[in-house]
Amino acid sequence: MKSSVFLNFIKALIPFWNVIIFCYVWVLYYNEHTFSSFWIQGLAVSVVLYALVYYAFGKLYHAFRIHSSRISELMLSQFLAVGMSDLILYLMCYLMHMRLAGVLPGLMAAVVQLIGTLILLVFNKFCFAKYTPAQRTVIIYGAKQAHREGNIETTVGELERKLRAKHSGLFDIQAVYPDTSRRSELIRKIQDFDTVILCHVSQKLRSELLAACARDGKNVCITPKLEDIILTNYEYRYLIDTPLLVSGSRHGDYRSKRLLDIGISLLMLVLFLPFMLLTAICIKLEDGGPVFYRQRRVTKNGREFDILKFRSMIVDAEKLGCRPAESRDSRITRTGRVIRAMRLDETPQLLNILKGDMSVVGPRPERVEHVRKYTEKLPEFAYRLRVRGGLTGYAQIYGKYNTSAEDKLKLDLMYIEKQSLLLDLQMILLTMKVMFLPESTEGF
């Protein structure tokens, strides 16, 4: 209990530090120095507003997940949270005084905030590692061999590998396969663990294990089936005295989505135009080939369109057939490696968005041949075609380039069932962070 209080205290030092530095610089350089009640009230409002904005962006970018994130990822999140908060309050200062204030004090404050945050993060990670024991976790798999759902296959053990690779100090993991243990022994076994993860287990076994975990007060995580995600949009209704789950009404794009797409795409075209021109020149100078690469994709209601990209591979890279890019793919040009790492190869799709073929946020539009193949073997894949394909989405933000096809489909369905204006704005802001994470572009 004492260690938990101590860990929460040192975790709270980071937002406290950033708010205090802001308060100090705001008083010295950006607030009117007339010590009146109005000045004090204005200062209080500014500090509270800054704290709320900083906390909101910090939560959005997962800047406070100290125990489960790397220092580099936390610093990126803190940089975005601090930067956004400082920028918003600087703009507020301009609106209050109707004149541009000095930028240098604000920049110096941001530098001091980030240096102090880095020191506190390192101290936090050290304390968490020292005082937080690894959580006893059991992963119960539904099969020994590869799990298959439709034509989508997931290697058994993949979740365990990911947890050991990224969170080895947080979890004391043991894997169990139900067909090697009797169910009564399996239920007794989970009593030795804090957390139970159910990975692709059968419906019957899942029900039995959930009941046992609820009785013993265990933390439970479940890899959802496709139908589980679809059910999230169903609503609880009652027919006389019979409870029902009724299909929800949120199918397709919400009404204001098209207006958001036009506004965001125009703004991004203006911001990225110099980089797009430079990219086009570099591609042309490297090998003299075409600047753009067109590929037939499928969007809402199965309509086909030509998606635009900056060409990042050699000319005729797919003459021997289509295959995904690998980590050290020889087909990728020197310019292509740079623009792929910086996501600039996707920027021409802003024109697709303006045209109405795509949205800013949505499932990535698939190739025609892939859609036909997946839909034949996996009928749930057709749910992706209820909305326009997107430039960014759940699978791009929460997954990686080499995330399994099953997990990408589940992420896309999660977005479709929850889509809203607020969610789209969150996805756009989160994309700013993902653009700087190299692991999101890992090849196969």
Side-chain angles (χ1 to χ4, degrees), residues 8-44:
N8 288 329
F9 171 74
I10 61 173
K11 187 177 179 179
L13 289 176
I14 294 175
F16 179 76
W17 164 262
N18 286 315
V19 172
I20 286 297
I21 295 299
F22 163 79
C23 182
Y24 177 76
V25 175
W26 185 263
V27 169
L28 287 183
Y29 298 100
Y30 295 108
N31 216 18
E32 293 293 334
H33 285 258
T34 53
F35 288 88
S36 61
S37 60
F38 178 78
W39 178 86
I40 296 173
Q41 292 170 2
L43 175 62

Side-chain angles (χ1 to χ4, degrees), residues 178-192:
D179 56 348
T180 63
S181 304
R182 296 177 181 176
R183 294 192 176 183
S184 57
E185 294 177 358
L186 183 61
I187 291 175
R188 284 198 300 269
K189 189 179 184 65
I190 64 178
Q191 295 176 2
D192 299 329

Side-chain angles (χ1 to χ4, degrees), residues 93-207:
C93 179
Y94 168 75
L95 292 175
M96 285 193 306
H97 303 297
M98 294 308 295
R99 59 181 173 82
L100 290 175
V103 178
L104 186 58
L107 291 177
M108 292 301 298
V111 171
V112 172
Q113 284 174 311
L114 292 174
I115 291 175
T117 297
L118 176 59
I119 295 171
L120 289 171
L121 279 176
V122 173
F123 179 61
N124 269 261
K125 293 290 277 188
F126 170 78
C127 292
F128 270 102
K130 184 175 181 180
Y131 295 106
T132 305
Q135 194 169 52
R136 294 172 299 170
T137 302
V138 59
I139 302 178
I140 301 176
Y141 290 105
K144 272 189 171 182
Q145 305 301 321
H147 162 72
R148 182 178 289 275
E149 191 164 353
N151 75 321
I152 295 180
E153 189 174 274
T154 301
T155 304
V156 169
E158 185 70 11
L159 179 59
E160 180 184 352
R161 183 191 66 79
K162 291 177 182 177
L163 286 176
R164 291 188 186 278
K166 190 171 182 180
H167 303 304
S168 58
L170 294 178
F171 301 98
D172 180 11
I173 302 172
Q174 182 176 340
V176 173
Y177 302 93
D179 56 348
T180 63
S181 304
R182 296 177 181 176
R183 294 192 176 183
S184 57
E185 294 177 358
L186 183 61
I187 291 175
R188 284 198 300 269
K189 189 179 184 65
I190 64 178
Q191 295 176 2
D192 299 329
F193 296 90
D194 303 312
T195 298
V196 178
I197 301 177
L198 306 181
C199 192
H200 303 303
V201 300
S202 66
Q203 187 65 45
K204 182 178 179 182
L205 179 59
R206 185 166 78 168
S207 298

Side-chain angles (χ1 to χ4, degrees), residues 61-85:
Y61 291 121
H62 308 310
F64 308 122
R65 291 186 178 178
I66 297 171
H67 60 293
S68 61
S69 301
R70 296 188 296 267
I71 291 288
S72 57
E73 186 177 345
L74 287 169
M75 280 304 298
L76 174 59
S77 300
Q78 289 287 342
F79 171 79
L80 291 171
V82 168
M84 289 288 192
S85 306

Side-chain angles (χ1 to χ4, degrees), residues 31-32 54-55 65 120 133-134 250 267 298 328 433 436:
N31 216 18
E32 293 293 334
Y54 167 73
Y55 181 76
R65 291 186 178 178
L120 289 171
R250 189 164 57 245
L267 175 62
V298 180
R328 291 187 176 91
K433 175 183 175 180
F436 294 99

